[in-house]
């Protein structure tokens, strides 16, 4: 009887980390080949799992993209959470944010590129929109710990613009310029 149970066990039971490995593989595939390169087959090969495992955990590519975007949201959100702790106070917010952007941009840019690619995919894939909105709401709420909600959204928009300009032009990040621009928005 035990052998029958094992034979019929779900892939999640056999390898409880397989779902996460599939998400991580999807992120690598999109980071390397773009969303156009994403398929159950390419993700299965990247994760080194059977093709059926990807469809078991994610029936559609939309579901997999949602999971990948949700995970990528944690990237800059984590940076902001460290920078803007609950009950955290003072200091030069513009300088803190400019430094955080510099650290984020100095890191592996493929993660940042992936995050923006997934956000832009939400324009054509409605299933991604709520997840993109979650990421934006979380970042705005974190920024609102040190300023008002309207200013928080304006700061977030400016930081997105600065990051996109650096990524799209391949230019270098100018922390002093970012600090000065951010400071203009802070009352």
């Amino acid at each position: 009887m035990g052998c029958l149970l094992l034979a019929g066990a779900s892939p999640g039971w056999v390898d409880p980390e397989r779902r996460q490995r599939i998400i991580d593989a999807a992120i690598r595939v999109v980071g390397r080949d773009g969303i156009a390169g994403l398929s159950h087959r390419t993700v299965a090969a990247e994760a080194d799992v059977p093709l059926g495992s990807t469809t078991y955990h994610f029936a559609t590519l939309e579901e997999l993209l949602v999971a990948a975007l949700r995970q990528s949201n944690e990237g800059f959100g984590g940076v902001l959470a460290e920078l803007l702790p609950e009950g955290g106070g003072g200091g030069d917010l513009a300088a803190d944010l400019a430094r955080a952007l510099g650290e984020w941009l100095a890191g592996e840019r493929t993660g940042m590129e992936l995050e923006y690619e997934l956000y832009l995919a939400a324009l054509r894939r409605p299933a991604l929109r709520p997840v993109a909105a979650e990421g934006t709401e979380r970042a705005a709420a974190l920024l609102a710990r040190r300023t008002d909600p309207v200013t928080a959204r304006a700061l977030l928009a400016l930081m997105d613009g600065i990051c996109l300009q650096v990524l799209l032009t391949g230019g270098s990040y100018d922390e002093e310029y970012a600090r000065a621009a951010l400071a203009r928005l802070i009352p």
Side-chain angles (χ1 to χ4, degrees):
M1 182 90 162
C3 290
L4 289 176
L5 286 175
L6 286 176
S10 72
W13 184 84
V14 173
D15 181 359
E17 296 174 7
R18 186 170 289 185
R19 184 178 194 280
Q20 185 59 52
R21 286 196 351 250
I22 292 168
I23 295 168
D24 293 341
I27 288 171
R28 288 191 304 274
V29 168
V30 172
R32 182 183 62 235
D33 305 327
I35 289 177
L38 186 74
S39 70
H40 283 290
R41 188 170 308 284
T42 58
V43 170
E46 182 73 24
D48 194 27
V49 299
L51 178 59
S53 290
T54 63
T55 57
Y56 173 82
H57 290 285
F58 301 98
T60 67
L61 288 178
E62 295 293 316
E63 289 177 22
L64 184 53
L65 283 170
V66 164
L69 179 55
R70 190 162 275 130
Q71 183 166 312
S72 74
N73 279 346
E74 296 170 9
F76 192 64
V79 170
L80 286 178
E82 283 183 30
L83 177 69
L84 307 164
E86 189 78 44
D92 183 348
L93 179 58
D96 291 345
L97 293 175
R99 188 173 46 260
L101 278 180
E103 290 171 12
W104 183 243
L105 284 163
E108 189 176 319
R109 288 200 178 175
T110 56
M112 186 176 256
E113 290 167 0
L114 166 76
E115 188 170 343
Y116 281 115
E117 183 161 358
L118 289 170
Y119 273 127
L120 292 174
L123 293 172
R124 302 246 186 256
R125 297 172 185 257
L128 295 176
R129 289 181 188 158
V131 183
E134 285 171 20
T136 300
E137 291 300 321
R138 178 176 182 229
L142 289 166
L143 286 166
R145 291 176 175 177
R146 300 248 317 254
T147 189
D148 63 274
V150 173
T151 302
R153 287 196 170 278
L155 290 168
L156 186 58
L158 179 55
M159 290 189 301
D160 274 337
I162 291 169
C163 287
L164 281 172
Q165 286 177 359
V166 170
L167 291 171
L168 292 174
T169 64
S172 60
Y173 174 68
D174 183 342
E175 188 172 318
E176 184 50 39
Y177 163 80
R179 190 210 56 75
L182 291 162
R184 288 177 167 234
L185 297 176
I186 299 170

